[in-house]
Amino acid sequence: MSVIHKAGALLLLATSLSAQLQFMEAAATTGTNAPTFGRGAAMVDFDGDGLLDLATSNDEQRNRFFRQNPDHTFTDVSQAWGVAADAQTRSWGMAVADFDNDGDPDVVTANGGFYEAQPATFLRNDINTLGGLTDVSSQAGDLGGVFRTHGVTTLDYDRDGLLDVFLADGIQIGGALGHVHLLHNQGGMVFVERTVEAGLGGLVGNFRHCGSADVDNDGWADLGVGDNAGANLLLRNNGDGTFTDIAGPAGVSSPGRNFGFVFEDFNSDGWMDVYLPKYQKTVVTTVSRVLLNNGDGTFEDVSGALGLGAQEDMGHNSGDLDNDGYPELYIGTGSPASGSWDVLLSLQPGASGDLEATDVTVSSGLVGLGNTRNHGSAFGDFDDDGDVDVYINSGGPANLANTIEQNYLLLNQGNDNHWVKVALTGVVSNRQAVGARIHAVTTSGRDIWTDLSAGKGFGNTDSPVRQLGLGTEDGLDRIEVLWPSGLHQTLLAPDIDTRHDVIETGILVQGVPQLGGTVELTFVGPPDHQAELLIGFVPGSVPLPKFGGILQILPPLIGPIGLPLGPDGQLALLMPIPNDVLLVGLPILFQAWVHEAQAVKGGTLTDAAVLLLE
């Protein structure tokens, strides 16, 4: 192989491997090579034009926003969108998500960090109404009063359909220990701190970055927090508004040098694993960690078997960059003072089936960037060619003027692997579907998983259009979406190498089934669609691809009964239960086919809601 340097671009030429991962540095040619004291990064569509834009949080500089043009170049719109030219705020993590469920992403930045007490910033997206981003921090309730934060992530911890905010802060230089902050979204862009009520008020440490995912597959979003001095936190959501720290018994406490806590399903078994980036600086105490979820509340440390090294692991993120169905680890190893090479590790099962790591830093071309001070890195297919690209936000602290650094946009050169994209829109879940899990099953039976988060790694937000690499698999049996609301949705035989836009569709049941009583069925789906209700007593499993799902009620059926969904995509219906003792012990199944009003095929067959009378 050979490396070619030409006109400021780095391109690795592969001689054989069709699945080779290669990058070309394209920041200079796309207008995204801004010099910054960089921190977090985001790759999302801010203005709703279907093109992914870029954003960065920076130390004592204006946070930067780059709008993508149709030719895949970018225009710096920071000033045009009303972002203040701030020379005081020391921004760290950046979580970009739709907090008011109006269809466009808003921005929360964690500020101050271990430097000084500064409040978090909350920007409401008014680009398509008022022409910019509006700072509503002072009207955001307790969110605007949280000071000196470092890490930020989002989750709907109480499953009310509104995204909440979690912040973590570290030891202030010369000051007190840091805390965590759980901010409940009350609606109307107002947040109330529920840290004490959630059982988190006594947690202190030198916290860094954090993440959220459903680590035990119970349907409730959990939290992980990296501690640079003491033990990490793994906060299990109890489903009643409280959390319990289970890091110790789970085996992920790993005290010291942690610069974050990343959830990722590295072996694609449907259980979220953990990456712990260890920032070594000058004293090597332990290597960074990959811990695999055993599915029983414990994790197995496989770092030694993977051969993980001890670097200055500060920037960090993960995602499938080569479309093989297994995530890569992107490690920004640059110390703010010195800078060093980033590291890119490809993780995938070896011949024995165990996870193996391959260092592809050189072969991918990253080494050509030279020493960097990489902090944030956002993943997404910005040019919509089927390959996930990476935007890197670099730079040291603003008090060291010589550490200012250009950002990098790594343009993925692609390979022959197949892929599928899934764009989710929540109806009863939060509209951006943060917290959803996506499961693809190939025609050969291979399982591939991904999740949707906002606030991951070094305060990053990756593209919400989730991409699943399929490797050499040439077809899909189905895609399943596990929505934050608890709804489960299936797409049968979806096409590959394309994008699927999925609106949350299903049936929710409220009430206790009793003879002579009633339960409330809520039908969920695309606004103004039609729901055909089916009722039966015998469960079955008959794939019906032309209706987009599996018929779970075998004939004889009662129905179909036509029901129009409202403009909000919901319809509540009271269902009386006959006062008939012969129904005791029988399962009553409700299923719906949701489709456009005049359609004779297409749409979605929902999963069946099952009532059992005892």
Side-chain angles (χ1 to χ4, degrees), residues 36 48 61 73 84 140 153-154 184 189 220 268 277 309 359 383 445 480 503:
T36 63
Q61 288 180 319
T73 63
T153 192
T154 64
H184 181 258
M189 307 292 272
W220 296 90
S268 205
D359 190 327
D383 55 355
E480 300 173 330
I503 298 175

Side-chain angles (χ1 to χ4, degrees), residues 164-444:
D164 310 302
V165 175
F166 182 84
L167 295 159
D169 47 58
I171 296 175
Q172 187 173 352
I173 296 175
L177 290 169
H179 299 81
V180 299
H181 308 272
L182 180 65
L183 286 304
H184 181 258
N185 190 338
Q186 302 288 103
M189 307 292 272
V190 175
F191 294 79
V192 173
E193 183 152 10
R194 298 295 189 201
T195 307
V196 174
E197 294 87 341
L200 307 176
L203 301 176
V204 293
N206 191 10
F207 302 126
R208 291 297 185 267
H209 291 288
C210 49
S212 176
D214 181 4
V215 76
D216 52 3
N217 285 346
D218 67 349
W220 296 90
D222 310 300
L223 290 158
V225 188
D227 193 317
N228 194 49
N232 298 315
L233 305 176
L234 178 56
L235 305 176
R236 182 184 183 275
N237 190 333
N238 299 318
D240 60 1
T242 68
F243 291 79
T244 302
D245 183 10
I246 60 169
V252 299
S253 57
S254 189
R257 297 291 183 181
N258 298 286
F259 224 85
F261 197 112
V262 177
F263 292 107
E264 187 72 76
D265 189 353
F266 289 111
N267 55 359
S268 205
D269 64 351
W271 293 87
M272 295 299 284
D273 309 307
V274 170
Y275 173 62
L276 302 175
K278 301 276 189 177
Y279 176 52
Q280 303 299 335
K281 199 173 182 181
T282 57
V283 179
V284 175
T285 57
T286 182
V287 299
S288 294
R289 303 286 186 187
V290 169
L291 303 111
L292 298 183
N293 193 330
N294 293 319
D296 60 0
T298 67
F299 290 76
E300 178 185 1
D301 189 338
V302 296
S303 311
L306 292 177
L308 296 190
Q311 300 101 198
E312 296 169 335
D313 294 6
M314 184 174 284
H316 51 282
N317 204 351
S318 58
D320 186 5
L321 300 175
D322 57 5
N323 279 337
D324 68 349
Y326 298 101
E328 275 69 51
L329 269 174
Y330 195 107
I331 305 169
T333 62
S335 158
S338 60
S340 56
W341 283 356
D342 293 347
V343 173
L344 183 60
L345 300 177
S346 175
L347 304 181
Q348 55 183 204
S352 66
D354 293 333
L355 203 64
E356 296 180 354
T358 303
D359 190 327
V360 294
T361 308
V362 174
S363 63
S364 66
L366 288 187
V367 67
L369 299 179
N371 293 347
T372 73
R373 296 177 177 86
N374 170 7
H375 292 105
S377 52
F379 293 5
D381 182 11
F382 84 90
D383 55 355
D384 201 27
D385 64 350
D387 309 301
V388 177
D389 311 298
V390 181
Y391 186 57
I392 298 172
N393 191 19
S394 297
N399 55 292
L400 297 177
N402 64 339
T403 65
I404 196 168
E405 193 165 294
Q406 298 286 336
N407 290 346
Y408 303 99
L409 181 59
L410 303 182
L411 182 62
N412 195 327
Q413 297 301 288
N415 55 41
D416 294 336
N417 286 338
H418 294 292
W419 50 271
V420 65
K421 293 182 183 180
V422 181
L424 302 178
T425 301
V427 177
V428 290
S429 297
N430 67 88
R431 183 159 176 172
Q432 193 170 313
V434 170
R437 298 211 69 196
I438 303 170
H439 175 213
V441 182
T442 70
T443 50
S444 71

Side-chain angles (χ1 to χ4, degrees), residues 3 88 129 144:
V3 176
Q88 286 79 43
T129 54

Side-chain angles (χ1 to χ4, degrees), residues 12 45 94 121 168 190 256 296 303 319 350 369 448 507 511 539 562 569:
L12 180 89
D45 180 5
M94 172 178 278
T121 300
V190 175
D296 60 0
S303 311
L369 299 179
I448 302 169
I507 304 176

Side-chain angles (χ1 to χ4, degrees), residues 14-167:
T15 56
S16 57
L17 297 177
S18 62
Q20 178 71 51
L21 178 61
Q22 320 163 19
F23 291 107
M24 182 174 69
E25 208 298 295
T29 57
T30 57
T32 57
N33 59 336
T36 63
F37 297 110
R39 294 296 181 263
M43 189 182 298
V44 301
D45 180 5
F46 280 99
D47 56 358
D49 64 353
L51 299 172
L52 291 173
D53 309 306
L54 301 172
T56 63
S57 56
N58 303 302
D59 186 10
E60 295 190 343
Q61 288 180 319
R62 187 202 307 265
N63 291 338
R64 307 290 282 272
F65 292 80
F66 300 90
R67 181 181 184 273
Q68 187 177 171
N69 304 311
D71 63 356
H72 303 311
T73 63
F74 291 80
T75 300
D76 188 335
V77 290
S78 310
Q79 183 174 355
W81 283 356
V83 180
D86 194 340
Q88 286 79 43
T89 301
R90 312 195 79 147
S91 294
W92 287 85
M94 172 178 278
V96 181
D98 187 358
F99 292 103
D100 54 0
N101 285 338
D102 67 347
D104 51 33
D106 313 295
V107 183
V108 172
T109 56
N111 298 329
F114 46 68
Y115 286 114
E116 56 187 289
Q118 296 178 332
T121 300
F122 189 28
L123 302 178
R124 185 182 64 212
N125 190 333
D126 294 326
I127 293 170
N128 291 319
T129 54
L130 303 178
L133 299 166
T134 304
D135 190 333
V136 294
S137 307
S138 61
Q139 295 93 48
D142 292 340
L143 176 58
V146 177
F147 288 77
R148 193 169 58 80
T149 51
H150 197 113
V152 57
T153 192
T154 64
L155 72 163
D156 182 3
Y157 78 93
D158 58 351
R159 301 202 333 191
D160 66 351
L162 295 170
L163 274 178
D164 310 302
V165 175
F166 182 84
L167 295 159

